[in-house]
Amino acid sequence: MIIFKKEKEVIDLIAKHADKMEECLSTAIKTLQAYLEDDIDEAKQLARETDKIETEADLIRHEIRSKLYYGAYMPLLREDIYKLVESFDSVANAAEKCCDFFLNQRPAIPNFLKPDYVEVIEESLGVSATLKHSLICYLEGRCPIEVARQHSREIGLLESKVDKLEWDITKKIFSSDLDFSLKIHLRLCLDTIVDVSDLAEDAADRLELVTLKSIV
C-alpha cells in the first residue's frame, strides 16, 4: 500500500490522538479508584490531569481536520477518516465526563457496592488498549485487514461483559434497602461509567466500516 506524505502525516496524528485517548482513560481509571478509596484530593488532581489530556486530544483532532481539509486522502475518504477520529475522541470525552460526574456530584457509593464499581470501571474504561491497537493495526498496515477487523470485534465482546456487570450491579442496587433517591443517583453514576465502553463499541464499529470500504 502506497502512503503519500500528507496521508503519512495524518496517520501519525491519528496515532498520537489514539495515544492520548488511551492515556485519558487510564488516568480516569486512577481518578475513580482514588475517589472510591476516599482520597478526594488525589482524585481531584487526577481529574484535572484527565481534563488536560482530553483537551490535548481535542487539539490533535483539530489538527487532523486541518490536514484533511488541505488535501490528505481522497475526497470520498476524508469524511470517514474524520468521523473515525471523532468517534475515538468521544470515548476520551466520556471518560472525562465520568470523572466530572464523580467529582461534581460526589455519589455516595456504599461499601458493599465499591468492589462492583471498581470492577465495572476497570472493564468499561479498560477498553482503550484494544481499541487503539485495532486502529493502529489498520492504519499502519501492521496486520491483514481481517485481523484488524477481529481486533475491532473484540471490543464488542468486552462491551458485552460490561453490560452483564451493569445488569448485576443495577439489580444489587435496587434490591437493597438503600433510600430510593440514592438508588437513582447510583444508577446515574453507573450510566456514566458504562457509556465509555458503549462509545468504544461505536468507535470499533466505525473502524470496521472504514476497513470494509478499503477492501478492493
Side-chain angles (χ1 to χ4, degrees), residues 19-156:
D19 286 338
K20 287 297 177 183
M21 181 271 299
E22 183 178 30
E23 185 182 0
C24 184
L25 266 64
S26 64
T27 307
I29 290 174
K30 294 175 185 176
T31 302
L32 303 180
Q33 288 172 335
Y35 180 91
L36 291 170
E37 293 168 0
D38 298 319
D39 191 345
I40 302 302
D41 288 340
E42 178 70 5
K44 285 181 179 178
Q45 181 179 339
L46 287 165
R48 285 192 290 269
E49 181 65 19
T50 302
D51 290 347
K52 176 176 174 289
I53 296 166
E54 202 284 324
T55 298
E56 292 169 351
D58 278 340
L59 294 174
I60 296 171
R61 176 170 58 85
H62 294 319
E63 191 174 353
I64 292 169
R65 182 172 62 189
S66 294
K67 293 286 185 183
L68 292 171
Y69 181 82
Y70 285 108
Y73 287 97
M74 297 291 290
L76 290 176
L77 284 176
R78 289 172 196 160
E79 182 179 2
D80 286 331
I81 295 294
Y82 187 68
K83 284 186 175 180
L84 178 61
V85 173
E86 279 190 319
S87 68
F88 274 67
D89 197 69
S90 69
V91 179
N93 189 45
E96 179 191 22
K97 287 181 179 178
C98 189
C99 293
D100 290 344
F101 183 97
F102 272 79
L103 273 301
N104 290 337
Q105 298 195 24
R106 302 294 176 91
I109 313 292
N111 286 332
F112 77 93
L113 285 173
K114 283 185 178 181
D116 298 296
Y117 271 79
V118 169
E119 184 178 10
V120 75
I121 286 165
E122 290 176 349
E123 291 294 339
S124 184
L125 278 69
V127 300
S128 60
T130 303
L131 188 59
K132 184 183 82 168
H133 183 67
S134 64
L135 176 66
I136 301 305
C137 183
Y138 165 69
L139 282 176
E140 297 187 353
R142 294 182 181 180
C143 50
I145 285 177
E146 186 53 41
V147 174
R149 292 180 62 202
Q150 180 58 39
H151 286 313
S152 296
R153 287 193 287 269
E154 287 175 11
I155 301 295

Side-chain angles (χ1 to χ4, degrees), residues 136-199:
I136 301 305
C137 183
Y138 165 69
L139 282 176
E140 297 187 353
R142 294 182 181 180
C143 50
I145 285 177
E146 186 53 41
V147 174
R149 292 180 62 202
Q150 180 58 39
H151 286 313
S152 296
R153 287 193 287 269
E154 287 175 11
I155 301 295
L157 296 176
L158 291 171
E159 200 276 334
S160 295
K161 183 176 181 180
V162 172
D163 282 348
K164 176 63 166 57
L165 291 171
E166 179 187 11
W167 172 268
D168 292 342
I169 295 170
T170 300
K171 184 177 180 180
K172 188 178 287 192
I173 290 170
F174 284 94
S175 62
S176 72
D177 58 0
L178 295 170
D179 183 80
F180 186 71
S181 61
L182 177 55
K183 290 179 180 180
I184 296 300
H185 200 206
L186 291 171
R187 174 64 232 192
L188 290 172
C189 179
L190 185 59
D191 285 343
T192 68
I193 296 167
V194 302
D195 191 43
V196 178
S197 57
D198 286 341
L199 289 169

